[in-house]
Amino acid sequence: MINIAIVEDEKSSADLLKSYFDKYSEKKGTKFRIVHFDNPVNFLTNYTSNYDMVLMDIELPDINGLDVSRKLRHLDKTVTLIFVTNMSQFAVMGYEVDAFDYIVKPVMYYDFALKLERALEHINSRNITKLQVVVDDAIKCISSSELKYVEVINHRLIYHTTDGEFVATGSLKGVEQRLIPAGFAKCNNCYLVNLRYVTGIKDFTVTVDGEELQISHPKRREFKRALNDYLGEKF
């Protein structure tokens, strides 16, 4: 199931996009769960990290879609973003917000299907898991692609990411169940490591993006096997 958010103030345009998703689903068998937002403020206020793709209209009431997308990137850096617009001069500015593609109005099914196919291939290739954790009484969205490792200290979880460290409460076991399929492995009972950031292993030490973490004796063989399997899948 692919979760889609459509941010479009015109009902007719949103309905057309929904019908195209239905048509694509009938032809290809891919299932979609679609949520339509006719107001960008509601979209941002109620945003959750479970969306795989956002289709963003550029011409929106009170604020244009490019500005909405800038705010979106503060909430979610990895969701696949596609502009839907009749203003191509805005569409070419999509690099500012890491837009994957854009579709020009009036939207034709053939163009829609081609770009949707590419977007789905992109989504499926990333194998990204998104976590929502409570940090300082606020919900923080953390993508597995930006998460280097998770550390547990005295029932607190420390998320070491490319954007810094975030401390939250929770169970490492619960996080482990979600992250193991995304290429993570435990090097000991205190660390859950993203294997993509591993740059070397020596004796009982693993280097993760420049940081050295201890590998426990019981976990060493299992961790090295997980790393070898990961590297075998990637290369």
Side-chain angles (χ1 to χ4, degrees), residues 16-134:
L16 179 64
L17 291 173
K18 289 179 183 178
S19 71
Y20 285 171
F21 276 110
D22 289 341
K23 184 174 181 178
Y24 186 93
S25 182
E26 291 176 3
K27 289 178 175 291
K28 301 289 187 175
T30 306
K31 302 299 181 183
F32 301 99
R33 180 182 293 112
I34 300 172
V35 181
H36 171 220
F37 296 89
D38 60 7
N39 184 299
V41 174
N42 290 339
F43 167 69
L44 293 172
T45 301
N46 298 287
Y47 187 80
T48 59
S49 63
N50 65 330
Y51 294 113
D52 300 295
M53 187 188 308
V54 174
L55 271 62
M56 179 74 66
D57 183 28
I58 291 293
E59 295 182 281
L60 294 167
D62 302 323
I63 181 173
N64 69 59
L66 187 59
D67 289 334
V68 177
S69 298
R70 292 190 182 104
K71 295 179 183 295
L72 170 64
R73 283 307 184 209
H74 287 292
L75 301 171
D76 191 335
K77 293 186 178 181
T78 59
V79 66
T80 299
L81 175 64
I82 297 177
F83 286 147
V84 183
T85 178
N86 52 19
M87 303 172 67
S88 57
Q89 68 270 27
F90 279 99
V92 296
M93 297 172 66
Y95 68 90
E96 293 184 22
V97 290
D98 194 25
F100 179 77
D101 210 334
Y102 68 93
I103 303 173
V104 177
K105 293 181 177 181
V107 181
M108 300 290 105
Y109 176 75
Y110 179 75
D111 185 41
F112 171 89
L114 282 178
K115 297 191 173 184
L116 177 59
E117 186 82 23
R118 288 183 60 244
L120 292 175
E121 290 176 357
H122 174 68
I123 290 170
N124 291 331
S125 69
R126 293 182 304 169
N127 192 24
I128 289 176
T129 297
K130 296 178 183 179
L131 302 174
Q132 291 190 86
V133 299
V134 179

